[in-house]
């Protein structure tokens, strides 16, 4: 009797759990399709906007940029797609911004969010454009990257999740950081006069 009771309780619990998952998945499908539902409305993120001369215009809520793979491929060069959308890396010393010393702002190649100010750029000798600070902590996100068999801190654009590069703790003062970015993930805009 004890074994029958245990089987009944376990079987009943499994049936309730299955019913809960089925109901949850059905309601999630229905809410995703419903206009005005949380999933139908574009996710909002906070970024800091900047003027063409690199001055902060304050924080702004904007829609997260989400596109299909086909849309990203149509917008980006093959190398920019591989780096920004598939977390690739360009070859060192091959990017157009490694030796760029002009004054301006570096934007995300995918969504034009301001990412780095040229006044924080330095020659790291690594072959990639390097910065000791992001233009705003609101505009870049960081996450763990275990590729290449080691832990690194990956950097991406907050607004569109474009992979930009990695950040290391061997940079110059005042931050001691080295944001090692891929040129193809960036678009440089000189300061306006």
């Amino acid at each position: 009797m004890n074994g029958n009771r245990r089987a009944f309780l376990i079987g009943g619990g499994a049936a309730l759990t299955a019913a809960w998952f089925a109901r949850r998945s059905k309601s999630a499908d229905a809410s995703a399709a419903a206009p005005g539902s949380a999933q139908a409305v574009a996710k909002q993120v906070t970024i800091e906007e900047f003027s063409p001369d690199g001055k902060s215009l304050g924080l702004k809520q904007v829609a997260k940029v989400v596109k299909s793979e086909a849309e990203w491929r149509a917008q980006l060069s093959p190398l920019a797609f591989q780096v920004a959308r598939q977390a690739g890396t360009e070859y060192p010393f091959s990017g157009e911004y490694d030796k760029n010393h002009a004054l301006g702002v570096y934007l995300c190649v995918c969504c034009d969010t301001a990412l780095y100010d040229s006044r924080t750029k330095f020659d790291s000798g690594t072959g990639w454009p390097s910065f000791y600070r992001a233009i705003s902590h609101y505009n870049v996100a960081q996450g763990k990257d275990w590729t290449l068999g080691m832990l690194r801190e990956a950097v991406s654009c907050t607004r569109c999740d474009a992979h930009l590069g990695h950040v290391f703790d061997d940079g110059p003062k005042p931050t001691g950081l080295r944001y090692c970015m891929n040129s193809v993930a960036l678009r440089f805009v000189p300061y306006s006069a």
Side-chain angles (χ1 to χ4, degrees), residues 127-151:
W128 290 280
S130 298
F131 306 85
Y132 63 79
R133 174 183 297 132
I135 199 166
S136 171
H137 72 273
Y138 287 99
N139 297 9
V140 297
Q142 292 180 211
K144 305 291 182 215
D145 177 5
W146 285 97
T147 59
L148 304 179
M150 62 180 153
L151 175 62

Side-chain angles (χ1 to χ4, degrees), residues 93-178:
F93 303 102
S94 68
E96 67 177 305
Y97 300 133
D98 178 37
K99 298 296 182 193
N100 183 28
H101 300 292
L103 292 176
V105 177
Y106 291 85
L107 309 177
C108 175
V109 74
C110 295
C111 70
D112 284 337
T113 296
L115 301 170
Y116 299 97
D117 187 309
S118 64
R119 293 172 286 204
T120 65
K121 189 173 186 288
F122 67 98
D123 186 4
S124 64
T126 61
W128 290 280
S130 298
F131 306 85
Y132 63 79
R133 174 183 297 132
I135 199 166
S136 171
H137 72 273
Y138 287 99
N139 297 9
V140 297
Q142 292 180 211
K144 305 291 182 215
D145 177 5
W146 285 97
T147 59
L148 304 179
M150 62 180 153
L151 175 62
R152 296 180 296 167
E153 199 68 26
V155 179
S156 61
C157 173
T158 298
R159 189 169 187 188
C160 71
D161 296 326
H163 172 73
L164 306 170
H166 294 86
V167 63
F168 303 92
D169 61 2
D170 58 0
K173 292 181 180 179
T175 64
L177 298 175
R178 173 174 53 96

Side-chain angles (χ1 to χ4, degrees), residues 2 5 12 14 31 65 74 76 78 86 105 118 130 132 141 152 172:
N2 210 5
R5 183 175 179 196
S31 69
V65 176
L76 303 169
Q86 297 180 321
V105 177
S118 64
S130 298
Y132 63 79
R152 296 180 296 167

Side-chain angles (χ1 to χ4, degrees), residues 58-81:
L59 299 180
K60 185 175 181 182
Q61 285 278 106
V62 295
K64 190 146 183 102
V65 176
V66 178
K67 295 183 180 183
S68 69
E69 181 177 322
E71 290 171 314
W72 286 125
R73 282 187 187 277
Q75 176 183 330
L76 303 169
S77 72
L79 182 57
F81 178 81

